[in-house]
Structures are given as structure tokens and as C-alpha cells.
């Protein structure tokens, strides 16, 4: 039987506010335990939450960016459960009336096709603290710095049909929240966490199978692998006559498998109800329009523009617009060079990305800035250096040896484009290889490449290869 | 609607409230009376009435995104039963 996977994702994006969603405590990452957990975050008696305007603004930005309905009225609710890193005994979230409803994003599939994925809702909520289970002589240590950090939970429709599609969607949301500057997207620090709901069904069937939920996937690679494993597992269970148990599972990257979380016997009963400490959130039209006016150019629009105006291939445009900082860098290079978009794209995706990756540096901290790279590309375009020498120049610039012109001069990498000089080299090479010359004359035309190589060698790689070809051809043809 | 002893025990468990077994029938009576009151309200015609989320008919006030709290860990932890290396300690919980 042929099976089809049905996947929906819940993504928790930590909003990039300075202070918490309901208190004035800092959200900075990496502080000493509990130094950023104030009375409100601790749920001490008598405190009242007051909603952070920036968190609301960020949620609305996201809603507008995915063409969603932004609720003019939304309501905060209490989600009740007991766990030590949730001091109040409830999490403030949104339930029946979330702030963002019914949006959609477009993903690019591997074959170049596009697919629309529905976003059911996105709601504001507070994060919980952290439990540390090790090293406390049988006790659990609780750090509440993260408690009260604003999250936007983004829930997709079950529109995804493969692990690759799920990754494309998750990456798209990741790109979007970073373009909007509402989330730093740092997956190691937990700023962007993914839960996946997955089920399988016979292809052609319209009813859903029983789903499982894989919690807390913190990389795109783990998302893809965990889904691939879980889909296979469910198919095996069904094909051997069993049935899938609805449960929460965790992915173990070391063993590349998912395992059921130890479940409590009771099914979850969160007893949601409107939080009496918070009034309904009402947004007026003018305020929403003001937020809309602040939206930057979004990745889809930018990608389309790079293809239409710069003539970039779809692949290049997708790679370059995946991160706003990369697209900004690329645009700055194109502006400084004054065109030659494809050459600029090649260098940004090639040498630059390679060096950044190798040294673990963010593009915004690149030792070779867009102006400097443009300086090098201009020297390729005007024939001062060959493409190969340019790579050496780039490495030297990366190592701090100065700008392109300084490196070319200091290392003597200037390409010989002087026709007279190249002709002299050709004379020398032909004179030194009379035997090959005779064979060439006798019709062994493959030797042309040999002569090119010898001239390049005689120039120590500095001759302009295109010129060498032209001049050599003219010389040999003339004599022939 | 009347609640039985099982439901009372479950509600108490969900709320993490310890109750004495001999009090269960009394709680069942009280809780059932609350439900009867709700049923009475459910009989009212609310067609076209927008549900309220709060008894005050006011919108939520927003605060600017500013860090206004200072570190008061020592004061908070002075009243905690057990702390270590800045962490609150609780009986071991493992999922």
C-alpha cells in the first residue's frame, strides 16, 4: 500500500522584546539563575500582569506578513497545569480568541514548484522557566529567568505532506520572523522551537490517521530526521496490523529515533478560562495600519525582485533571501559594483558564505564587508586579476591584509593584460618547444591547450587567460 | 447536573487540593449546586449577545517595552524553602 504523511507544525518563536510579556523584568539570555525573575514572574500574591506593547506589535506584524486576519479583539486565557517551573500553576496564553487567525505562507518545494501552507492561528503566551534535573542531590533546580518571556505560538494547518515540506515551511517561518525582526531565530538558545504533529494514511484517503506529537525539535535537521523516522515507524505499525497510539514523543538525535514521553495517566485537562487579571486586548484600525506601514520588504517580494530586476536564477534568489542580513549584504555589493548581480551572488554564496561558515562568523560581522568585496569584484571585471587569483586576494582580505588593491599590489597578483608582454611570452614558449610546434602544424590541434598552459606557466599564472588564448590563436593561425 | 464522588476526587486532584474522604459528599453537594446555578443561567436567551471575557467593559492597557525590574533574587530566595547556586530547589520531578 502507498502511504501519505500528514504533518502540522507548532512553532514557538520567542519574541525579541527587551522586557517580559507581563512584567518589566529583562529577557536577556544567559543571566545568572533567577536574577531576571521578578515578583510577577514568580507569581507572588498580589501581583498583576500588564501586557507589553512591543509583544503585541510583533504578533500583529507577523499576522500582517502572512496575510492573516488580525483580531480587533483577542482574549488571554489561563492554561492550568502543575509543574515546578510554572510558578503560578497556569500559563497565560490565548485560547478561543487568538490575536492572529487564518494566514498562509508559500513554500518552495525541491522540484521548484510552490505550495501554499495554511497557518491556522498564532497566539501570544508566556514561556515557563527551566528545570535542571542533574546535580542537586535528588532535588530539581528551578531557574525562572525564562518564565514570562513572550512567545508567539504559530500553528499550521495539517497541509504538509513530507519531512522536506515540513522543513521548507519551518525555514520559511524562521526567515519571516527574522525579516520582521520579531525573533532572533537562535535555535541553540531555544528562541525558535518546533513541535510536529504527524500521522499517516493510505494515499487517496481523506480522513486523518491517529497522530503523534514530537516535541521540542531544535534544529531543521532534527525536524527532518525525526519526521522521517516517525513516518516509517507508523507505517510499520500499521502494516503489521497494529494501531498508532496517540501520544507525545521525543526525538533522540544520538540514536535517531523517537520514543514516547513517559505519559501521565490522565489525559491533559487544562481547564482554560479567560484570565480575570487581563482585560480583552482591543486593537484599533489606525494602530494596525501604523504597524503595517512599518513592515519591511518581505522575503517573497524580495526574492521576486532579485529574479525580475537582477536576473538571478530562482535558486540563487531563494538562497540569498533566506536571511535578511545576507540579502542586505548582497544588495550592498550589487549597488557598490553597479550591477553584475550574478557575479555578486556567486561570491556571496560561494567564497563569502564558505569563509563565514568555516570561521563561524555572522555575515553582519564579516571581516570583508560589502564595500570591500565590491572592490575586489571590480578588479575581476576590469581584468586586473583573474578569477583564480581573486580567491587568493579574498583570503588575504579575510585575514586582514588590506583592501583588494593593496593585496593585489603586495602579492603581485596583477594579471598581465599587456598584449606586448604576453606576445613575448608566446615567442619564448614557441621557441622552447619546436617539436610540439611542428606536431601542431602537422595537425595535432590538441596541442593548443599545451601552449596555453606553458604560457600561463611562464607568466606564473598572471597572464589573462582569455588574452593568452586570443593572442596564441592569432599567432599560430597567422603562421599556419 | 449532579457530581458524583469520583468527579469530586478528580477535580480535587486536578487542582492539587487534598481533601478528606469523609468530606467528599459535602463537596459533591456544594459543587452540584454551583452547576445548577450555571444551568439556570444557561436557560437565559443569549442569542446575539457577545460573550464577555471580563466583567469590566474596558480594553487592556499596554505598557512600554522597558526593563523596570531590578534583581531582587536574594529577597525572594530568603523566603524559599530551599535554594542552591541561585536555583530554587524542589522535590525531584522527571518526565
Amino acid at each position: 500500500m502507498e502511504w501519505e504523511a500528514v504533518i502540522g507544525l507548532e512553532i514557538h518563536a520567542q519574541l525579541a522584546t527587551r522586557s517580559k510579556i507581563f512584567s518589566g523584568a529583562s529577557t536577556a539570555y544567559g543571566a545568572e539563575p533567577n536574577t531576571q525573575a521578578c515578583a510577577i514572574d514568580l507569581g507572588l500574591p498580589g501581583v498583576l500582569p500588564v501586557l507589553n506593547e512591543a509583544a503585541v506589535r510583533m504578533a500583529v506584524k507577523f499576522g500582517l506578513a502572512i496575510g492573516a486576519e488580525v483580531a480587533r479583539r483577542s482574549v488571554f486565557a489561563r492554561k492550568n497545569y502543575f509543574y515546578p517551573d510554572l510558578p503560578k500553576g497556569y500559563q497565560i496564553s490565548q485560547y478561543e480568541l487568538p490575536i492572529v487567525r487564518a494566514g498562509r505562507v508559500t513554500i518552495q518545494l525541491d522540484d521548484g514548484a510552490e505550495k501554499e501552507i495554511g497557518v491556522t492561528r498564532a497566539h501570544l503566551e508566556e514561556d515557563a522557566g527551566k528545570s535542571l534535573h542533574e546535580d542537586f542531590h535528588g532535588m530539581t533546580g528551578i531557574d525562572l529567568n525564562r518564565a514570562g518571556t513572550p512567545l508567539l505560538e504559530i500553528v499550521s494547518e495539517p497541509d504538509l505532506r513530507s519531512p522536506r515540506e515540513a522543513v521548507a515551511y519551518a525555514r520559511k517561518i524562521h526567515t519571516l520572523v527574522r525579516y520582521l525582526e520579531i525573533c532572533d531565530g537562535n535555535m541553540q538558545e531555544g528562541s525558535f522551537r518546533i513541535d510536529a504533529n504527524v500521522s499517516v494514511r493510505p494515499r487517496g484517503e481523506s480522513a486523518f490517521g491517529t497522530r503523534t506529537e514530537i516535541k521540542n525539535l531544535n534544529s531543521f535537521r532534527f525536524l527532518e530526521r525525526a519526521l522521517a523516522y516517525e513516518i516509517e515507524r507508523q507505517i510499520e505499525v500499521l502494516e503489521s496490523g497494529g494501531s498508532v497510539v496517540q501520544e507525545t514523543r521525543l526525538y533522540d538525535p544520538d540514536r535517531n529515533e523517537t520514543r514516547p514521553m513517559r505519559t501521565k495517566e490522565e489525559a491533559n485537562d487544562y481547564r482554560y478560562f479567560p484570565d480575570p487579571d487581563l482585560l480583552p486586548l482591543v486593537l484599533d484600525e489606525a494602530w494596525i495600519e501604523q504597524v503595517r506601514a512599518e513592515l519591511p520588504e518581505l522575503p517573497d517580494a524580495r526574492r521576486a525582485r532579485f529574479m525580475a530586476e537582477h536576473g538571478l536564477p530562482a535558486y540563487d534568489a531563494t538562497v540569498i533571501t533566506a536571511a535578511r542580513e545576507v540579502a542586505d549584504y548582497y544588495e550592498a555589493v550589487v549597488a557598490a559594483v553597479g550591477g553584475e548581480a550574478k557575479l555578486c551572488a556567486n561570491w556571496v554564496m560561494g567564497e563569502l558564505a564558505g569563509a563565514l561558515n568555516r570561521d563561524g562568523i555572522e555575515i553582519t560581522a564579516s571581516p570583508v564587508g560589502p564595500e570591500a568585496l565590491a572592490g575586489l569584484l571590480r578588479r575581476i571585471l576590469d581584468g586586473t586579476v583573474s578569477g583564480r587569483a581573486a580567491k587568493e586576494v579574498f583570503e588575504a582580505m579575510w585575514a586582514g591584509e588590506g583592501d583588494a588593491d593593496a593585496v593585489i599590489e603586495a602579492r603581485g597578483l596583477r594579471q598581465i593584460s599587456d598584449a606586448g608582454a604576453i606576445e613575448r611570452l608566446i615567442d619564448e614558449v614557441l621557441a622552447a618547444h619546436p617539436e610540439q610546434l611542428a606536431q601542431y602544424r602537422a595537425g595535432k590541434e590538441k596541442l593548443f591547450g599545451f601552449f596555453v598552459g606553458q604560457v600561463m606557466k611562464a607568466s606564473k599564472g598572471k597572464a589573462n587567460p582569455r588574452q593568452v588564448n586570443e593572442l596564441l590563436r592569432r599567432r599560430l593561425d597567422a603562421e599556419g | 447536573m449532579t457530581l458524583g464522588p469520583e468527579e469530586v476526587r478528580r477535580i480535587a486532584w486536578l487542582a492539587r487540593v487534598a481533601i478528606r474522604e469523609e468530606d467528599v459528599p459535602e463537596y459533591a453537594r456544594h459543587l452540584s449546586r454551583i452547576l445548577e446555578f450555571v444551568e439556570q443561567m444557561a436557560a437565559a436567551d443569549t442569542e446575539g449577545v457577545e460573550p464577555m471575557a471580563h466583567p469590566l467593559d474596558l480594553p487592556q492597557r499596554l505598557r512600554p517595552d522597558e526593563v523596570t525590574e531590578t534583581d531582587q533574587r536574594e529577597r525572594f530566595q530568603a523566603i524559599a524553602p530551599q535554594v542552591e547556586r541561585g536555583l530554587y530547589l524542589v522535590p525531584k520531578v522527571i518526565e
Side-chain angles (χ1 to χ4, degrees), chain A residues 302 306 310 320 324-339 344 348 369-375 377-378:
Chain A
R302 205 167 194 186
F306 287 172
H310 295 186
I320 284 183
R324 182 175 176 172
E325 297 79 8
V326 175
D328 288 347
Y329 186 106
Y330 156 81
E331 280 216 273
V333 177
V334 173
V337 171
C344 298
V348 171
E371 288 291 335
L373 180 59
L377 300 189
R378 275 196 296 268

Side-chain angles (χ1 to χ4, degrees), chain A residues 21-23 40 48-52 278, chain B residues 60-63:
Chain A
I21 184 167
F22 298 117
S23 83
I40 293 172
L48 272 180
V50 186
L51 185 55
N52 185 334
L278 289 155
Chain B
Q60 174 63 37
R61 190 170 65 87
L62 302 177
R63 46 166 263 274

Side-chain angles (χ1 to χ4, degrees), chain A residues 17-21 23-25 33-35 37-39 42 44 50-54 73 75 82-83 132-133 135-143 261 266 269 271 274 276 278-280, chain B residues 10-11 13-16 50-54 56-73 76-77 79 82 84-95:
Chain A
T17 55
R18 285 186 286 272
S19 64
K20 294 190 177 171
I21 184 167
S23 83
N34 292 308
T35 55
C38 72
L42 296 176
L44 294 186
V50 186
L51 185 55
N52 185 334
E53 192 257 3
R73 181 172 174 275
V75 169
F82 288 96
Y83 204 74
L132 303 150
H133 298 293
D135 294 339
F136 296 100
H137 31 84
M139 311 272 289
T140 293
I142 306 289
D143 176 7
M261 248 168 87
E266 301 271 344
D269 184 346
R271 293 154 293 139
L278 289 155
L279 292 152
Chain B
R10 178 178 149 75
I11 291 165
W13 184 83
L14 278 173
R16 301 296 191 278
E50 200 184 324
M52 290 175 82
H54 201 279
L56 294 180
D57 187 19
L58 291 169
Q60 174 63 37
R61 190 170 65 87
L62 302 177
R63 46 166 263 274
D65 180 26
E66 284 161 15
V67 175
T68 53
E69 297 283 349
T70 51
D71 172 22
Q72 300 193 69
R73 182 174 78 178
F76 294 137
Q77 297 205 331
I79 54 168
Q82 218 178 330
E84 190 176 312
R85 283 182 271 157
L87 298 162
Y88 295 94
L89 292 192
V90 298
K92 186 127 190 158
V93 277
I94 271 280
E95 291 206 351

Side-chain angles (χ1 to χ4, degrees), chain B residues 1-16:
Chain B
M1 190 184 173
T2 311
L3 291 177
E6 260 322 299
E7 285 158 311
V8 169
R9 286 187 205 104
R10 178 178 149 75
I11 291 165
W13 184 83
L14 278 173
R16 301 296 191 278

